């Protein structure tokens, strides 16, 4: 993409002052900080350094980055670095793409208990994979995995799930040799799903007992231990979806897919089309319409 492509920073610099004036009193310090970071990122305001080639005296000025979590410029770079580092980790073996999903009722209470439930989701998914893989009845090896949390489904509903990229084998328990899984078959999803369900429900009950869960609105009654236990009971009977398959396009393609989410920002620079007297025009995707590449232009 060319250097003169429109960026969120350009919009903030052009329209930010008037917008902040209009929104006075409605913006948090955090929001103002993000705007300021994005406006100043890689501009003289943040300082920088001058690079000079000793051979030809060519001079280049490199301005410092803001490194803000919400900056599209910084996060696109960070996503690229993350992807390169993960791809460098890949071993020359078969890989499996695994997904651990929480049932809908738990997703609902996760919305107001993000820190506790997201942490449990990560821990229990990792623990389930390691436990089943280490069991000699299954693989009998110590495995490693890269796990990525997704909190929204494609229908833009709160839908926490964890994606994993896992080599189809691991180190023998004495650490002496590589143990491969059967070609095309990693671990039984049924076995993974059962253990994931049991461990997650145990951990969730413990978190409730420890007073770590908060309930609001229609869920307020679940603060009571008996009501919570009654609510939890049917979840130990329903199916918990675990997916484990060899990715068609190989592990690198899955990592590339995941990297688009690991450093996500509200709107990336490449979706911006124009800034003019009518407003900002950007591309968007209507998820209610089937098909993955449909884009529209919206003027606001
Ligand atoms: Zn930045
Ligand atoms: Zn996902």
């Amino acid at each position: 993409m060319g250097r003169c492509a429109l960026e969120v920073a350009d919009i903030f610099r052009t329209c930010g002052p008037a917008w902040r004036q209009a929104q006075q009193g409605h913006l948090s310090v955090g929001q103002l900080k993000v705007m300021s970071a994005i406006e100043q990122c890689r501009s003289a305001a943040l300082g920088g350094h001058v690079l000079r080639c000793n051979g030809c005296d060519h001079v280049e000025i490199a301005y410092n980055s803001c490194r803000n979590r919400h900056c599209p410029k910084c996060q696109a770079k960070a996503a690229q670095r993350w992807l390169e580092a993960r791809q460098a980790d890949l071993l020359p073996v078969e890989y499996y793409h695994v997904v651990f999903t929480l049932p809908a009722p738990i997703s609902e209470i996760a919305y107001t208990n993000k820190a506790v439930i997201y942490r449990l989701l990560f821990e229990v998914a990792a623990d389930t994979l390691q436990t089943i893989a280490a069991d000699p009845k299954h693989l009998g090896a110590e495995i490693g995995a890269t796990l990525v949390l997704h909190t929204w489904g494609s229908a833009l509903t709160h839908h926490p799930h964890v994606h994993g990229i896992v080599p189809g084998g691991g180190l023998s328990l004495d650490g002496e040799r590589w143990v491969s899984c059967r070609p095309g078959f990693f671990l039984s999803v049924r076995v993974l799903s059962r253990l994931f369900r049991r461990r997650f429900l145990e951990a969730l009950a413990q978190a409730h007992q420890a007073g770590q869960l908060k309930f609001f609105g229609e869920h307020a009654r679940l603060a009571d231990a008996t009501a919570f236990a009654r609510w939890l009971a049917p979840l130990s009977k329903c199916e918990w979806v675990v997916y484990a398959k060899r990715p068609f396009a190989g592990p690198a393609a899955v990592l590339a897919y995941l990297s688009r989410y690991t450093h996500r920002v509200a709107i990336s620079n490449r979706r911006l089309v124009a800034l003019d007297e009518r407003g900002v025009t950007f591309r968007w995707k209507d998820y209610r319409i089937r098909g993955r590449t449909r884009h529209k232009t919206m003027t606001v």
Side-chain angles (χ1 to χ4, degrees), residues 8 15 22 45 48 68 80 87 107 116 155 158 162 171 179 182-183 202 205 211 226 232 239 281:
V8 173
C15 314
N68 190 284
Q80 185 61 31
Q87 282 180 334
S107 298
V116 175
H158 186 236
V162 156
L171 284 178
V179 181
R182 271 193 278 144
E202 282 166 7
T226 316
L232 214 53
E239 274 312 315
T281 308

PDB file of all heavy atoms in Angstrom, residues 8 15 22 45 48 68 80 87 107 116 155 158 162 171 179 182-183 202 205 211 226 232 239 281:
ATOM      1  N   VAL A   8      -6.098   6.202  10.089  1.00  0.00           N
ATOM      2  CA  VAL A   8      -6.921   6.694  11.202  1.00  0.00           C
ATOM      3  C   VAL A   8      -6.279   7.960  11.780  1.00  0.00           C
ATOM      4  O   VAL A   8      -6.966   8.920  12.155  1.00  0.00           O
ATOM      5  CB  VAL A   8      -7.057   5.600  12.299  1.00  0.00           C
ATOM      6  CG1 VAL A   8      -7.748   6.152  13.527  1.00  0.00           C
ATOM      7  CG2 VAL A   8      -7.835   4.397  11.753  1.00  0.00           C
ATOM      8  N   CYS A  15      -9.994  15.857  12.036  1.00  0.00           N
ATOM      9  CA  CYS A  15     -11.325  16.071  12.624  1.00  0.00           C
ATOM     10  C   CYS A  15     -11.332  15.954  14.146  1.00  0.00           C
ATOM     11  O   CYS A  15     -12.356  16.254  14.778  1.00  0.00           O
ATOM     12  CB  CYS A  15     -12.320  15.061  12.062  1.00  0.00           C
ATOM     13  SG  CYS A  15     -12.227  14.901  10.290  1.00  0.00           S
ATOM     14  N   ALA A  22     -16.917  18.836  20.555  1.00  0.00           N
ATOM     15  CA  ALA A  22     -18.344  18.486  20.548  1.00  0.00           C
ATOM     16  C   ALA A  22     -18.677  17.448  21.620  1.00  0.00           C
ATOM     17  O   ALA A  22     -19.795  17.394  22.115  1.00  0.00           O
ATOM     18  CB  ALA A  22     -18.743  17.980  19.160  1.00  0.00           C
ATOM     19  N   ALA A  45       6.391  14.449  16.818  1.00  0.00           N
ATOM     20  CA  ALA A  45       5.966  14.677  18.203  1.00  0.00           C
ATOM     21  C   ALA A  45       6.546  13.650  19.175  1.00  0.00           C
ATOM     22  O   ALA A  45       6.761  13.952  20.343  1.00  0.00           O
ATOM     23  CB  ALA A  45       4.438  14.666  18.282  1.00  0.00           C
ATOM     24  N   GLY A  48      12.523  10.751  17.424  1.00  0.00           N
ATOM     25  CA  GLY A  48      12.926   9.695  16.498  1.00  0.00           C
ATOM     26  C   GLY A  48      14.436   9.668  16.381  1.00  0.00           C
ATOM     27  O   GLY A  48      15.136  10.192  17.261  1.00  0.00           O
ATOM     28  N   ASN A  68       0.719   1.952  21.205  1.00  0.00           N
ATOM     29  CA  ASN A  68      -0.576   1.841  21.882  1.00  0.00           C
ATOM     30  C   ASN A  68      -1.319   0.598  21.377  1.00  0.00           C
ATOM     31  O   ASN A  68      -1.282   0.278  20.197  1.00  0.00           O
ATOM     32  CB  ASN A  68      -1.413   3.095  21.621  1.00  0.00           C
ATOM     33  CG  ASN A  68      -2.647   3.134  22.486  1.00  0.00           C
ATOM     34  OD1 ASN A  68      -3.619   2.433  22.228  1.00  0.00           O
ATOM     35  ND2 ASN A  68      -2.615   3.932  23.538  1.00  0.00           N
ATOM     36  N   GLN A  80       2.419  -8.765  12.490  1.00  0.00           N
ATOM     37  CA  GLN A  80       3.393  -9.322  11.548  1.00  0.00           C
ATOM     38  C   GLN A  80       4.540  -9.998  12.309  1.00  0.00           C
ATOM     39  O   GLN A  80       4.951 -11.105  11.993  1.00  0.00           O
ATOM     40  CB  GLN A  80       3.915  -8.180  10.655  1.00  0.00           C
ATOM     41  CG  GLN A  80       4.846  -8.617   9.531  1.00  0.00           C
ATOM     42  CD  GLN A  80       4.142  -9.567   8.571  1.00  0.00           C
ATOM     43  OE1 GLN A  80       2.940  -9.472   8.383  1.00  0.00           O
ATOM     44  NE2 GLN A  80       4.887 -10.516   8.010  1.00  0.00           N
ATOM     45  N   GLN A  87       5.680 -18.680  13.109  1.00  0.00           N
ATOM     46  CA  GLN A  87       6.026 -19.519  11.952  1.00  0.00           C
ATOM     47  C   GLN A  87       7.427 -20.097  12.122  1.00  0.00           C
ATOM     48  O   GLN A  87       7.694 -21.221  11.732  1.00  0.00           O
ATOM     49  CB  GLN A  87       5.902 -18.722  10.657  1.00  0.00           C
ATOM     50  CG  GLN A  87       4.432 -18.603  10.268  1.00  0.00           C
ATOM     51  CD  GLN A  87       4.191 -17.820   8.997  1.00  0.00           C
ATOM     52  OE1 GLN A  87       5.001 -16.972   8.645  1.00  0.00           O
ATOM     53  NE2 GLN A  87       3.083 -18.069   8.332  1.00  0.00           N
ATOM     54  N   SER A 107     -20.950 -18.787  28.116  1.00  0.00           N
ATOM     55  CA  SER A 107     -20.564 -17.576  27.380  1.00  0.00           C
ATOM     56  C   SER A 107     -21.294 -16.365  27.937  1.00  0.00           C
ATOM     57  O   SER A 107     -20.746 -15.275  28.032  1.00  0.00           O
ATOM     58  CB  SER A 107     -20.920 -17.704  25.897  1.00  0.00           C
ATOM     59  OG  SER A 107     -20.217 -18.753  25.325  1.00  0.00           O
ATOM     60  N   VAL A 116     -11.808 -13.843  34.800  1.00  0.00           N
ATOM     61  CA  VAL A 116     -11.804 -15.171  35.428  1.00  0.00           C
ATOM     62  C   VAL A 116     -12.068 -16.261  34.388  1.00  0.00           C
ATOM     63  O   VAL A 116     -11.324 -17.242  34.290  1.00  0.00           O
ATOM     64  CB  VAL A 116     -12.889 -15.250  36.530  1.00  0.00           C
ATOM     65  CG1 VAL A 116     -12.985 -16.654  37.104  1.00  0.00           C
ATOM     66  CG2 VAL A 116     -12.586 -14.241  37.627  1.00  0.00           C
ATOM     67  N   ALA A 155     -20.740 -14.110  13.883  1.00  0.00           N
ATOM     68  CA  ALA A 155     -22.013 -13.391  13.886  1.00  0.00           C
ATOM     69  C   ALA A 155     -21.960 -12.199  14.846  1.00  0.00           C
ATOM     70  O   ALA A 155     -22.988 -11.609  15.150  1.00  0.00           O
ATOM     71  CB  ALA A 155     -23.129 -14.335  14.287  1.00  0.00           C
ATOM     72  N   HIS A 158     -21.052 -12.562  21.505  1.00  0.00           N
ATOM     73  CA  HIS A 158     -20.008 -12.958  22.448  1.00  0.00           C
ATOM     74  C   HIS A 158     -19.919 -14.478  22.447  1.00  0.00           C
ATOM     75  O   HIS A 158     -20.899 -15.157  22.754  1.00  0.00           O
ATOM     76  CB  HIS A 158     -20.373 -12.432  23.846  1.00  0.00           C
ATOM     77  CG  HIS A 158     -19.309 -12.663  24.848  1.00  0.00           C
ATOM     78  ND1 HIS A 158     -19.527 -13.340  26.009  1.00  0.00           N
ATOM     79  CD2 HIS A 158     -17.998 -12.326  24.846  1.00  0.00           C
ATOM     80  CE1 HIS A 158     -18.386 -13.404  26.689  1.00  0.00           C
ATOM     81  NE2 HIS A 158     -17.457 -12.792  26.009  1.00  0.00           N
ATOM     82  N   VAL A 162     -11.174 -21.008  22.252  1.00  0.00           N
ATOM     83  CA  VAL A 162      -9.720 -20.974  22.137  1.00  0.00           C
ATOM     84  C   VAL A 162      -9.295 -21.797  20.926  1.00  0.00           C
ATOM     85  O   VAL A 162      -9.756 -22.927  20.763  1.00  0.00           O
ATOM     86  CB  VAL A 162      -9.074 -21.526  23.433  1.00  0.00           C
ATOM     87  CG1 VAL A 162      -7.695 -22.058  23.177  1.00  0.00           C
ATOM     88  CG2 VAL A 162      -9.006 -20.446  24.494  1.00  0.00           C
ATOM     89  N   LEU A 171       7.445 -34.948  22.882  1.00  0.00           N
ATOM     90  CA  LEU A 171       8.618 -35.635  23.429  1.00  0.00           C
ATOM     91  C   LEU A 171       8.155 -36.807  24.290  1.00  0.00           C
ATOM     92  O   LEU A 171       7.197 -36.676  25.048  1.00  0.00           O
ATOM     93  CB  LEU A 171       9.431 -34.678  24.304  1.00  0.00           C
ATOM     94  CG  LEU A 171      10.287 -33.643  23.580  1.00  0.00           C
ATOM     95  CD1 LEU A 171      10.973 -32.741  24.607  1.00  0.00           C
ATOM     96  CD2 LEU A 171      11.332 -34.335  22.708  1.00  0.00           C
ATOM     97  N   VAL A 179       7.687 -38.693  19.767  1.00  0.00           N
ATOM     98  CA  VAL A 179       6.587 -39.649  19.622  1.00  0.00           C
ATOM     99  C   VAL A 179       5.544 -39.015  18.702  1.00  0.00           C
ATOM    100  O   VAL A 179       5.002 -37.967  19.021  1.00  0.00           O
ATOM    101  CB  VAL A 179       5.928 -39.955  20.993  1.00  0.00           C
ATOM    102  CG1 VAL A 179       4.812 -40.975  20.829  1.00  0.00           C
ATOM    103  CG2 VAL A 179       6.957 -40.420  21.998  1.00  0.00           C
ATOM    104  N   ARG A 182      -0.726 -41.121  15.394  1.00  0.00           N
ATOM    105  CA  ARG A 182      -1.054 -41.866  14.173  1.00  0.00           C
ATOM    106  C   ARG A 182      -1.285 -40.861  13.055  1.00  0.00           C
ATOM    107  O   ARG A 182      -1.910 -39.828  13.299  1.00  0.00           O
ATOM    108  CB  ARG A 182      -2.336 -42.673  14.395  1.00  0.00           C
ATOM    109  CG  ARG A 182      -2.072 -44.054  14.967  1.00  0.00           C
ATOM    110  CD  ARG A 182      -3.339 -44.876  14.851  1.00  0.00           C
ATOM    111  NE  ARG A 182      -4.260 -44.603  15.943  1.00  0.00           N
ATOM    112  CZ  ARG A 182      -5.590 -44.577  15.798  1.00  0.00           C
ATOM    113  NH1 ARG A 182      -6.143 -44.754  14.620  1.00  0.00           N
ATOM    114  NH2 ARG A 182      -6.362 -44.364  16.842  1.00  0.00           N
ATOM    115  N   PRO A 183      -0.823 -41.129  11.825  1.00  0.00           N
ATOM    116  CA  PRO A 183      -1.020 -40.143  10.768  1.00  0.00           C
ATOM    117  C   PRO A 183      -2.503 -39.806  10.617  1.00  0.00           C
ATOM    118  O   PRO A 183      -3.339 -40.695  10.558  1.00  0.00           O
ATOM    119  CB  PRO A 183      -0.498 -40.842   9.506  1.00  0.00           C
ATOM    120  CG  PRO A 183       0.387 -41.939  10.005  1.00  0.00           C
ATOM    121  CD  PRO A 183      -0.126 -42.338  11.364  1.00  0.00           C
ATOM    122  N   GLU A 202     -15.466 -27.972  37.216  1.00  0.00           N
ATOM    123  CA  GLU A 202     -14.874 -27.998  38.558  1.00  0.00           C
ATOM    124  C   GLU A 202     -14.242 -26.645  38.879  1.00  0.00           C
ATOM    125  O   GLU A 202     -14.438 -26.086  39.956  1.00  0.00           O
ATOM    126  CB  GLU A 202     -13.777 -29.081  38.651  1.00  0.00           C
ATOM    127  CG  GLU A 202     -14.320 -30.491  38.792  1.00  0.00           C
ATOM    128  CD  GLU A 202     -13.232 -31.555  38.542  1.00  0.00           C
ATOM    129  OE1 GLU A 202     -12.042 -31.181  38.388  1.00  0.00           O
ATOM    130  OE2 GLU A 202     -13.601 -32.741  38.483  1.00  0.00           O
ATOM    131  N   ALA A 205     -16.854 -23.952  39.457  1.00  0.00           N
ATOM    132  CA  ALA A 205     -17.492 -24.081  40.768  1.00  0.00           C
ATOM    133  C   ALA A 205     -16.555 -23.537  41.854  1.00  0.00           C
ATOM    134  O   ALA A 205     -16.987 -22.849  42.789  1.00  0.00           O
ATOM    135  CB  ALA A 205     -17.845 -25.541  41.037  1.00  0.00           C
ATOM    136  N   GLY A 211     -15.805 -16.660  45.481  1.00  0.00           N
ATOM    137  CA  GLY A 211     -16.391 -15.324  45.330  1.00  0.00           C
ATOM    138  C   GLY A 211     -15.801 -14.539  44.167  1.00  0.00           C
ATOM    139  O   GLY A 211     -15.846 -13.309  44.141  1.00  0.00           O
ATOM    140  N   THR A 226     -26.570 -22.382  45.982  1.00  0.00           N
ATOM    141  CA  THR A 226     -27.486 -23.453  45.580  1.00  0.00           C
ATOM    142  C   THR A 226     -28.022 -23.196  44.176  1.00  0.00           C
ATOM    143  O   THR A 226     -28.084 -24.111  43.338  1.00  0.00           O
ATOM    144  CB  THR A 226     -28.676 -23.540  46.571  1.00  0.00           C
ATOM    145  OG1 THR A 226     -28.152 -23.437  47.886  1.00  0.00           O
ATOM    146  CG2 THR A 226     -29.420 -24.837  46.420  1.00  0.00           C
ATOM    147  N   LEU A 232     -25.629 -25.045  37.082  1.00  0.00           N
ATOM    148  CA  LEU A 232     -24.447 -25.692  36.501  1.00  0.00           C
ATOM    149  C   LEU A 232     -24.718 -27.154  36.127  1.00  0.00           C
ATOM    150  O   LEU A 232     -24.142 -27.663  35.161  1.00  0.00           O
ATOM    151  CB  LEU A 232     -23.309 -25.627  37.540  1.00  0.00           C
ATOM    152  CG  LEU A 232     -21.867 -25.465  37.073  1.00  0.00           C
ATOM    153  CD1 LEU A 232     -21.724 -24.284  36.152  1.00  0.00           C
ATOM    154  CD2 LEU A 232     -20.945 -25.334  38.280  1.00  0.00           C
ATOM    155  N   GLU A 239     -23.278 -31.569  25.365  1.00  0.00           N
ATOM    156  CA  GLU A 239     -22.038 -31.721  24.599  1.00  0.00           C
ATOM    157  C   GLU A 239     -21.230 -30.435  24.625  1.00  0.00           C
ATOM    158  O   GLU A 239     -21.772 -29.353  24.385  1.00  0.00           O
ATOM    159  CB  GLU A 239     -22.366 -32.035  23.123  1.00  0.00           C
ATOM    160  CG  GLU A 239     -22.593 -33.500  22.814  1.00  0.00           C
ATOM    161  CD  GLU A 239     -21.530 -34.437  23.368  1.00  0.00           C
ATOM    162  OE1 GLU A 239     -20.313 -34.146  23.237  1.00  0.00           O
ATOM    163  OE2 GLU A 239     -21.914 -35.483  23.944  1.00  0.00           O
ATOM    164  N   THR A 281     -15.347   7.434   4.554  1.00  0.00           N
ATOM    165  CA  THR A 281     -15.876   6.265   3.857  1.00  0.00           C
ATOM    166  C   THR A 281     -14.958   5.089   4.143  1.00  0.00           C
ATOM    167  O   THR A 281     -13.737   5.201   4.037  1.00  0.00           O
ATOM    168  CB  THR A 281     -15.925   6.521   2.344  1.00  0.00           C
ATOM    169  OG1 THR A 281     -16.620   7.746   2.126  1.00  0.00           O
ATOM    170  CG2 THR A 281     -16.637   5.393   1.612  1.00  0.00           C
TER     171      THR A 281
END
